Amino acid sequence: MRKGFPEVIYCEGKTPTQVVKIAGAILKHNNNLLATRAGKETYRAVKRAFPKARYHEAARAITVTLKAQPKRAGMIAVLCAGTTDIPVAEEAVVTAEIMGNRVQKYYDVGIAGIHRLLALHEELLAANVLIVIAGMEGALPSVVGGLVDKPVIAVPTSVGYGASFGGIAALLAMLNSCASGVTVVNINNGFGAGYAASLINQLATGRHV
């Protein structure tokens, strides 16, 4: 009632039976369900209990949609630097979409091929909020923040060689961004970025569902 969307299940560390039980409690009072960091065994158990369950393999997420949320007018852009960042990006996309947002994806637009990003300038300006995902040195959110006039949610990933320290280098780079309007979530936290972007888009479009 407070956020306009039911509690989300974090599946890591939970057995399939536990996830099914929690899902049942949520779906008694809600039309939609999101479960993150779910393996296929957990999905199969949820699918048996709730035939409308869908598995988003790249995102490792499960959704159950009994009645879809009305789509908001605004748009969320999700960008990721490289192909190896796509699983985190997809977690953000699945989260934002099930919460009733229109999402536009732009993948493989990292600074190593910055011409691909610059070619999207007009499309990026059309978004109400942008989620920007990168590993390695984590520079992409700063570049995007210097191009747009909307909030940028930066997501560091654990992609990179040894000195990336499992995403800590990207995290620190994003926290130290000199581009205005860049905020940062935890390493690999596509869900957190998608949820925050949905709340921002909700304010921008003036409708709570």
Side-chain angles (χ1 to χ4, degrees):
M1 291 177 66
R2 177 169 52 90
K3 293 288 187 70
F5 193 81
E7 186 174 354
V8 175
I9 306 172
Y10 180 77
C11 296
E12 281 187 351
K14 296 181 177 70
T15 66
T17 301
Q18 288 171 331
V19 172
V20 169
K21 184 176 180 180
I22 297 167
I26 291 172
L27 289 170
K28 279 183 181 178
H29 306 286
N30 299 277
N31 291 318
N32 298 288
L33 174 78
L34 172 62
T36 64
R37 302 301 168 94
K40 289 186 177 180
E41 182 182 357
T42 297
Y43 165 66
R44 286 190 288 267
V46 172
K47 181 74 172 177
R48 285 193 294 270
F50 308 101
K52 290 193 174 183
R54 179 184 172 195
Y55 190 55
H56 307 264
E57 187 166 359
R60 293 176 59 211
I62 300 168
T63 56
V64 179
T65 304
L66 303 180
K67 182 181 178 182
Q69 298 269 55
K71 290 294 183 184
R72 299 188 179 96
M75 189 265 286
I76 297 172
V78 177
L79 296 79
C80 76
T83 303
T84 46
D85 300 311
I86 287 177
V88 178
E90 282 295 303
E91 185 178 69
V93 168
V94 170
T95 301
E97 285 184 337
I98 197 171
M99 294 183 72
N101 301 279
R102 303 175 193 277
V103 178
Q104 186 65 51
K105 301 187 286 188
Y106 304 100
Y107 291 173
D108 198 20
V109 292
I111 63 166
I114 200 167
H115 57 285
R116 293 192 290 269
L117 176 67
L118 298 178
L120 298 170
H121 193 199
E122 290 188 13
E123 289 92 330
L124 300 183
L125 290 174
N128 280 339
V129 55
L130 301 93
I131 299 170
V132 184
I133 298 149
M136 299 289 188
E137 82 280 33
L140 184 60
S142 290
V143 176
V144 174
L147 293 172
V148 302
D149 58 351
K150 304 291 172 52
V152 172
I153 301 172
V155 188
T157 72
S158 54
V159 172
Y161 293 102
S164 70
F165 297 108
I168 292 175
L171 172 64
L172 294 176
M174 293 175 186
L175 287 170
N176 284 284
S177 173
C178 64
S180 301
V182 175
T183 57
V184 188
V185 298
N186 207 348
I187 298 167
N188 295 334
N189 191 7
F191 161 73
Y195 204 112
S198 179
L199 294 177
I200 292 170
N201 194 40
Q202 177 178 289
L203 291 172
T205 57
R207 181 154 61 94
H208 188 290
V209 292

